[in-house]
Amino acid sequence: MSTSMPSISEAEWRVMNVLWEKSPLTANEIISSLQGQTDWNPKTVRTLLNRLVQKNAVGVNQNQRVYTFYPMYSQNECQHAEAQSFLERIYSGALKSMLVQFIQKDSLSDEEIQELRSILDAKQSSTDHPNK
């Protein structure tokens, strides 16, 4: 796996989501999974798979008669890279600005507020005591 996360288009994310749910899968299995979610024809899905393979986001197992595909990165790794890219493009890397805007504009339930407080408290504890 390379250290640089590939850029994944919105359509490619749909394919990746299928692979993160279950893999390895054949192209036909991926096509079947996407049929209920999209109106893409099989050639479109195969094109997206080929792009993902070229980007090294998806690997191919060629040991069998039918090729199977699997993600090269975890969903969490891709989400983190996409979030970092978004943060850089839109907020010039200023995480605080982004968080403030989302918190001020969106209504949060008491449960969500408590969860955010817990996450921030845990983060603060880990920075206060880095050896823990």
Side-chain angles (χ1 to χ4, degrees), residues 19-32:
L19 288 170
W20 285 320
E21 206 170 284
K22 181 182 179 193
S23 66
L25 293 172
T26 66
N28 285 337
E29 290 170 327
I30 296 166
I31 290 165
S32 293

Side-chain angles (χ1 to χ4, degrees), residues 66-107:
V66 179
Y67 291 177
T68 56
F69 299 87
Y70 56 91
M72 298 289 287
Y73 297 93
S74 72
Q75 187 172 19
N76 190 44
E77 288 172 312
C78 288
Q79 287 171 337
H80 184 265
E82 188 66 25
Q84 285 297 122
S85 173
F86 173 79
L87 185 63
E88 285 299 321
R89 282 190 330 266
I90 308 301
Y91 293 94
S92 302
L95 180 61
K96 180 183 171 189
S97 295
M98 182 190 77
L99 291 174
V100 167
Q101 184 167 6
F102 277 103
I103 290 171
Q104 287 177 341
K105 298 293 179 191
D106 293 337
S107 60

Side-chain angles (χ1 to χ4, degrees), residues 15-75:
V15 174
M16 293 298 292
N17 282 327
V18 170
L19 288 170
W20 285 320
E21 206 170 284
K22 181 182 179 193
S23 66
L25 293 172
T26 66
N28 285 337
E29 290 170 327
I30 296 166
I31 290 165
S32 293
S33 291
L34 289 168
Q35 277 180 336
Q37 305 171 25
T38 68
D39 59 355
W40 298 339
N41 67 40
K43 188 174 180 177
T44 301
V45 177
R46 289 181 191 278
T47 298
L48 292 169
L49 272 172
N50 286 334
R51 284 186 199 159
L52 287 165
V53 169
Q54 289 172 354
K55 291 179 178 185
N56 292 319
V58 168
V60 184
N61 183 353
Q62 301 176 352
N63 297 340
Q64 305 154 351
R65 254 187 270 170
V66 179
Y67 291 177
T68 56
F69 299 87
Y70 56 91
M72 298 289 287
Y73 297 93
S74 72
Q75 187 172 19

